[in-house]
Amino acid sequence: MWLLLLLVAASPAWAFTDGWKTAGATYFDAPDYWKAAFQPGKFGDLYGNSCGYLDRTAGVEPSNAGFPLPFDGVGAVSDSMPEHTGKKYSNSRGRSCGRCYEIRCKTGLVVSGDGVTPKSIYEGYYLPRYAPDLLDPEGRPWPGKPDEYKELRYTQCREDVESIVITIIDSCPCVYIGGRKQASCCGPLPHFDLSFWAFNKLAHPLYGNMMMEYRPVACDTREPLQTEKPYISDTVYGDGPGAGWGWRSYGEQQSTLLAENEGLYQSTATCLILTPGGGVSFHCRGCEKEGFQPFNKKYALEFWIRSRSTEVKSLNGEGGVLALRLSLSQMHNLEYSETGTFTKPSTFCNSRATLADYTPVGETGDWLQFQIPFTDFQCEGELRISGVNRIVMAAPAGYDLKDVEFCLDEVRII
């Protein structure tokens, strides 16, 4: 039996077929009732995603209540995906942020990370062993599997869902914090770690694993992309983070990743209330490597901004948006090794820019458009412009200063 299965699976399981490529899939996070049925701490959470996609309010503990995207439309990708190049234990933790993939389930045996060997129920944590009668959120029982695969992992796909589109919000490193290895994310078979809710749309979550097919698509139109080559979008933010871009706020009273109807022409914007010294970061961690480098051979950062404060009469006064300061830097990858985790501090360009020193190049209603030349940041010596992978906009620090309240939209590298 095993020999037959190995012969059937002997060709690479990740070869392209009509624009689709094969991958394995697991899931993370789950409803509380589901988590309670299994080993504590087994499932993780959406709100701790490495892309930083989380609305935050000062004094409120982070939770899924602040997660801004549909629970059933998100996932993570593994180190073995084409977007993750470089050292075996290097985690780009962000280079795939904001990308979109169309995925579909494949009924049949689940194979291990080598893409060939059928996966045993004794390999890893097999959910049906602990709660075989657990119903999915819609009250449906586990369909089970054919008797001949009693000791192998097998998944029966839903028959009423052909495919779904997911946005990448997280990473699945081969070696995680503290040296813990996640074999399924080590490849060579590509691997997706879907949200519980995305997995549940394709198959009953008691299966825990599935084989699937995927292809990259445009997030807005959902049309298939004609190339597999990963890329970093020149649009850092426009109705949401661009492909390859993470987002994170700090020192905020409140931050919203996707503020509907608050953007230019009533589109979606990112809106923040920053305390003195607080800021917002757009990052494509790992994109400084050759083949990516979104800042290389570009000349400026362009964006639209508007003040949301009703108390500040002057844009460049205390609490005004023109007091905001911009900096460019390189965030260094967390390097996960089998002996632990290490990193080094960010490297900054030699100068920063204050909005008050620039004249807007455009104006629409309350919105002002700025272009900040990259030459003004003096990215020389240790960090040149091609090595930049993070943009930070921060409020000036000072105990007696006011908060800065504003929205950003159409942030682009030009």
PDB file of all heavy atoms in Angstrom, residues 51 74 96 108 114 128 154 170 205 218 221 246 252 290 318 334 379 383 406 408 411:
ATOM      1  N   CYS A  51       2.361  41.214   9.892  1.00  0.00           N
ATOM      2  CA  CYS A  51       2.227  42.370   9.001  1.00  0.00           C
ATOM      3  C   CYS A  51       1.767  43.610   9.754  1.00  0.00           C
ATOM      4  O   CYS A  51       1.788  44.715   9.199  1.00  0.00           O
ATOM      5  CB  CYS A  51       1.245  42.058   7.872  1.00  0.00           C
ATOM      6  SG  CYS A  51       1.833  40.766   6.756  1.00  0.00           S
ATOM      7  N   VAL A  74      -8.139  35.553   4.931  1.00  0.00           N
ATOM      8  CA  VAL A  74      -6.740  35.867   5.232  1.00  0.00           C
ATOM      9  C   VAL A  74      -5.947  34.595   5.492  1.00  0.00           C
ATOM     10  O   VAL A  74      -6.498  33.527   5.758  1.00  0.00           O
ATOM     11  CB  VAL A  74      -6.619  36.808   6.457  1.00  0.00           C
ATOM     12  CG1 VAL A  74      -7.227  38.165   6.168  1.00  0.00           C
ATOM     13  CG2 VAL A  74      -7.274  36.187   7.690  1.00  0.00           C
ATOM     14  N   SER A  96       5.593  39.384   1.976  1.00  0.00           N
ATOM     15  CA  SER A  96       4.372  38.925   1.313  1.00  0.00           C
ATOM     16  C   SER A  96       3.128  39.649   1.821  1.00  0.00           C
ATOM     17  O   SER A  96       2.024  39.364   1.348  1.00  0.00           O
ATOM     18  CB  SER A  96       4.212  37.418   1.526  1.00  0.00           C
ATOM     19  OG  SER A  96       5.238  36.711   0.882  1.00  0.00           O
ATOM     20  N   GLY A 108      -8.257  14.459  -1.291  1.00  0.00           N
ATOM     21  CA  GLY A 108      -7.317  13.348  -1.394  1.00  0.00           C
ATOM     22  C   GLY A 108      -6.328  13.309  -0.255  1.00  0.00           C
ATOM     23  O   GLY A 108      -6.498  13.983   0.777  1.00  0.00           O
ATOM     24  N   ASP A 114       7.923  17.397   1.958  1.00  0.00           N
ATOM     25  CA  ASP A 114       8.756  17.043   0.808  1.00  0.00           C
ATOM     26  C   ASP A 114       7.950  16.988  -0.480  1.00  0.00           C
ATOM     27  O   ASP A 114       8.507  16.851  -1.574  1.00  0.00           O
ATOM     28  CB  ASP A 114       9.495  15.725   1.041  1.00  0.00           C
ATOM     29  CG  ASP A 114       8.555  14.532   1.230  1.00  0.00           C
ATOM     30  OD1 ASP A 114       7.324  14.679   1.050  1.00  0.00           O
ATOM     31  OD2 ASP A 114       9.064  13.431   1.556  1.00  0.00           O
ATOM     32  N   PRO A 128      -8.913  14.764  14.798  1.00  0.00           N
ATOM     33  CA  PRO A 128     -10.015  13.817  15.009  1.00  0.00           C
ATOM     34  C   PRO A 128      -9.764  12.814  16.133  1.00  0.00           C
ATOM     35  O   PRO A 128     -10.709  12.218  16.658  1.00  0.00           O
ATOM     36  CB  PRO A 128     -10.117  13.100  13.650  1.00  0.00           C
ATOM     37  CG  PRO A 128      -9.587  14.080  12.673  1.00  0.00           C
ATOM     38  CD  PRO A 128      -8.472  14.775  13.389  1.00  0.00           C
ATOM     39  N   TYR A 154      -6.190  12.496   5.149  1.00  0.00           N
ATOM     40  CA  TYR A 154      -6.989  12.608   3.933  1.00  0.00           C
ATOM     41  C   TYR A 154      -8.020  13.700   4.165  1.00  0.00           C
ATOM     42  O   TYR A 154      -8.590  13.813   5.251  1.00  0.00           O
ATOM     43  CB  TYR A 154      -7.681  11.262   3.660  1.00  0.00           C
ATOM     44  CG  TYR A 154      -8.572  11.227   2.433  1.00  0.00           C
ATOM     45  CD1 TYR A 154      -8.125  10.675   1.244  1.00  0.00           C
ATOM     46  CD2 TYR A 154      -9.878  11.731   2.474  1.00  0.00           C
ATOM     47  CE1 TYR A 154      -8.946  10.621   0.113  1.00  0.00           C
ATOM     48  CE2 TYR A 154     -10.701  11.697   1.354  1.00  0.00           C
ATOM     49  CZ  TYR A 154     -10.226  11.135   0.178  1.00  0.00           C
ATOM     50  OH  TYR A 154     -11.034  11.089  -0.926  1.00  0.00           O
ATOM     51  N   ASP A 170       0.405  37.357   7.416  1.00  0.00           N
ATOM     52  CA  ASP A 170       1.341  36.782   8.376  1.00  0.00           C
ATOM     53  C   ASP A 170       2.348  35.918   7.639  1.00  0.00           C
ATOM     54  O   ASP A 170       2.233  35.676   6.432  1.00  0.00           O
ATOM     55  CB  ASP A 170       0.582  35.953   9.416  1.00  0.00           C
ATOM     56  CG  ASP A 170       1.259  35.936  10.775  1.00  0.00           C
ATOM     57  OD1 ASP A 170       2.452  36.289  10.852  1.00  0.00           O
ATOM     58  OD2 ASP A 170       0.603  35.554  11.764  1.00  0.00           O
ATOM     59  N   PRO A 205     -12.847  21.832   9.380  1.00  0.00           N
ATOM     60  CA  PRO A 205     -11.601  22.129  10.095  1.00  0.00           C
ATOM     61  C   PRO A 205     -11.042  20.978  10.925  1.00  0.00           C
ATOM     62  O   PRO A 205      -9.882  21.028  11.333  1.00  0.00           O
ATOM     63  CB  PRO A 205     -11.973  23.330  10.974  1.00  0.00           C
ATOM     64  CG  PRO A 205     -13.461  23.329  11.050  1.00  0.00           C
ATOM     65  CD  PRO A 205     -13.949  22.738   9.775  1.00  0.00           C
ATOM     66  N   ALA A 218      -4.585  39.817  -8.564  1.00  0.00           N
ATOM     67  CA  ALA A 218      -4.653  41.219  -8.164  1.00  0.00           C
ATOM     68  C   ALA A 218      -5.706  41.365  -7.079  1.00  0.00           C
ATOM     69  O   ALA A 218      -6.814  40.832  -7.204  1.00  0.00           O
ATOM     70  CB  ALA A 218      -4.996  42.084  -9.369  1.00  0.00           C
ATOM     71  N   THR A 221      -9.031  43.494  -8.515  1.00  0.00           N
ATOM     72  CA  THR A 221      -9.853  42.887  -9.568  1.00  0.00           C
ATOM     73  C   THR A 221      -9.995  41.374  -9.426  1.00  0.00           C
ATOM     74  O   THR A 221     -10.874  40.775 -10.028  1.00  0.00           O
ATOM     75  CB  THR A 221      -9.247  43.171 -10.951  1.00  0.00           C
ATOM     76  OG1 THR A 221      -7.968  42.516 -11.056  1.00  0.00           O
ATOM     77  CG2 THR A 221      -9.062  44.669 -11.161  1.00  0.00           C
ATOM     78  N   GLY A 246       3.684  45.934   4.891  1.00  0.00           N
ATOM     79  CA  GLY A 246       3.094  45.850   6.213  1.00  0.00           C
ATOM     80  C   GLY A 246       2.825  47.241   6.756  1.00  0.00           C
ATOM     81  O   GLY A 246       3.260  48.254   6.185  1.00  0.00           O
ATOM     82  N   GLU A 252       0.112  55.432  19.814  1.00  0.00           N
ATOM     83  CA  GLU A 252      -1.130  55.978  19.292  1.00  0.00           C
ATOM     84  C   GLU A 252      -2.199  56.097  20.376  1.00  0.00           C
ATOM     85  O   GLU A 252      -2.237  55.297  21.315  1.00  0.00           O
ATOM     86  CB  GLU A 252      -1.680  55.098  18.154  1.00  0.00           C
ATOM     87  CG  GLU A 252      -2.227  53.747  18.607  1.00  0.00           C
ATOM     88  CD  GLU A 252      -1.165  52.746  18.978  1.00  0.00           C
ATOM     89  OE1 GLU A 252      -0.147  52.671  18.267  1.00  0.00           O
ATOM     90  OE2 GLU A 252      -1.333  52.028  19.993  1.00  0.00           O
ATOM     91  N   GLU A 290      18.278  42.130  -3.596  1.00  0.00           N
ATOM     92  CA  GLU A 290      18.287  42.285  -5.046  1.00  0.00           C
ATOM     93  C   GLU A 290      17.098  41.554  -5.662  1.00  0.00           C
ATOM     94  O   GLU A 290      16.768  40.430  -5.265  1.00  0.00           O
ATOM     95  CB  GLU A 290      19.598  41.735  -5.608  1.00  0.00           C
ATOM     96  CG  GLU A 290      19.789  42.022  -7.082  1.00  0.00           C
ATOM     97  CD  GLU A 290      21.153  41.589  -7.584  1.00  0.00           C
ATOM     98  OE1 GLU A 290      22.012  41.234  -6.737  1.00  0.00           O
ATOM     99  OE2 GLU A 290      21.353  41.617  -8.810  1.00  0.00           O
ATOM    100  N   GLU A 318       1.067  73.627  16.884  1.00  0.00           N
ATOM    101  CA  GLU A 318       1.150  72.494  17.799  1.00  0.00           C
ATOM    102  C   GLU A 318      -0.022  71.540  17.543  1.00  0.00           C
ATOM    103  O   GLU A 318      -1.180  71.926  17.584  1.00  0.00           O
ATOM    104  CB  GLU A 318       1.119  72.999  19.241  1.00  0.00           C
ATOM    105  CG  GLU A 318       1.279  71.911  20.287  1.00  0.00           C
ATOM    106  CD  GLU A 318       1.167  72.451  21.695  1.00  0.00           C
ATOM    107  OE1 GLU A 318       1.517  73.628  21.905  1.00  0.00           O
ATOM    108  OE2 GLU A 318       0.708  71.701  22.577  1.00  0.00           O
ATOM    109  N   LEU A 334      14.460  39.476  11.445  1.00  0.00           N
ATOM    110  CA  LEU A 334      14.692  38.573  12.555  1.00  0.00           C
ATOM    111  C   LEU A 334      15.307  37.312  11.978  1.00  0.00           C
ATOM    112  O   LEU A 334      14.792  36.736  11.017  1.00  0.00           O
ATOM    113  CB  LEU A 334      13.370  38.216  13.254  1.00  0.00           C
ATOM    114  CG  LEU A 334      12.690  39.345  14.034  1.00  0.00           C
ATOM    115  CD1 LEU A 334      11.334  38.876  14.520  1.00  0.00           C
ATOM    116  CD2 LEU A 334      13.540  39.770  15.207  1.00  0.00           C
ATOM    117  N   CYS A 379      20.460  59.395   2.121  1.00  0.00           N
ATOM    118  CA  CYS A 379      20.727  57.965   2.303  1.00  0.00           C
ATOM    119  C   CYS A 379      22.071  57.635   1.671  1.00  0.00           C
ATOM    120  O   CYS A 379      22.164  57.296   0.486  1.00  0.00           O
ATOM    121  CB  CYS A 379      19.615  57.133   1.672  1.00  0.00           C
ATOM    122  SG  CYS A 379      17.978  57.491   2.349  1.00  0.00           S
ATOM    123  N   LEU A 383      23.667  53.095   4.677  1.00  0.00           N
ATOM    124  CA  LEU A 383      22.355  52.795   4.084  1.00  0.00           C
ATOM    125  C   LEU A 383      22.109  53.687   2.881  1.00  0.00           C
ATOM    126  O   LEU A 383      21.975  54.905   3.006  1.00  0.00           O
ATOM    127  CB  LEU A 383      21.239  52.994   5.115  1.00  0.00           C
ATOM    128  CG  LEU A 383      19.820  52.768   4.586  1.00  0.00           C
ATOM    129  CD1 LEU A 383      19.662  51.345   4.052  1.00  0.00           C
ATOM    130  CD2 LEU A 383      18.782  53.041   5.680  1.00  0.00           C
ATOM    131  N   PHE A 406      -4.786  62.662  12.015  1.00  0.00           N
ATOM    132  CA  PHE A 406      -4.732  62.824  10.556  1.00  0.00           C
ATOM    133  C   PHE A 406      -5.085  61.517   9.848  1.00  0.00           C
ATOM    134  O   PHE A 406      -5.145  60.441  10.454  1.00  0.00           O
ATOM    135  CB  PHE A 406      -3.335  63.271  10.118  1.00  0.00           C
ATOM    136  CG  PHE A 406      -2.245  62.271  10.409  1.00  0.00           C
ATOM    137  CD1 PHE A 406      -1.770  61.413   9.420  1.00  0.00           C
ATOM    138  CD2 PHE A 406      -1.677  62.189  11.680  1.00  0.00           C
ATOM    139  CE1 PHE A 406      -0.777  60.499   9.688  1.00  0.00           C
ATOM    140  CE2 PHE A 406      -0.670  61.269  11.956  1.00  0.00           C
ATOM    141  CZ  PHE A 406      -0.220  60.419  10.954  1.00  0.00           C
ATOM    142  N   LEU A 408      -4.109  59.382   6.017  1.00  0.00           N
ATOM    143  CA  LEU A 408      -3.203  59.255   4.882  1.00  0.00           C
ATOM    144  C   LEU A 408      -3.871  58.430   3.789  1.00  0.00           C
ATOM    145  O   LEU A 408      -4.611  57.486   4.063  1.00  0.00           O
ATOM    146  CB  LEU A 408      -1.917  58.531   5.284  1.00  0.00           C
ATOM    147  CG  LEU A 408      -0.845  59.304   6.048  1.00  0.00           C
ATOM    148  CD1 LEU A 408       0.225  58.330   6.522  1.00  0.00           C
ATOM    149  CD2 LEU A 408      -0.228  60.366   5.170  1.00  0.00           C
ATOM    150  N   VAL A 411      -0.386  56.687  -0.835  1.00  0.00           N
ATOM    151  CA  VAL A 411       1.043  56.778  -0.520  1.00  0.00           C
ATOM    152  C   VAL A 411       1.797  55.977  -1.580  1.00  0.00           C
ATOM    153  O   VAL A 411       1.569  54.768  -1.739  1.00  0.00           O
ATOM    154  CB  VAL A 411       1.340  56.219   0.885  1.00  0.00           C
ATOM    155  CG1 VAL A 411       2.823  56.368   1.218  1.00  0.00           C
ATOM    156  CG2 VAL A 411       0.472  56.914   1.931  1.00  0.00           C
TER     157      VAL A 411
END
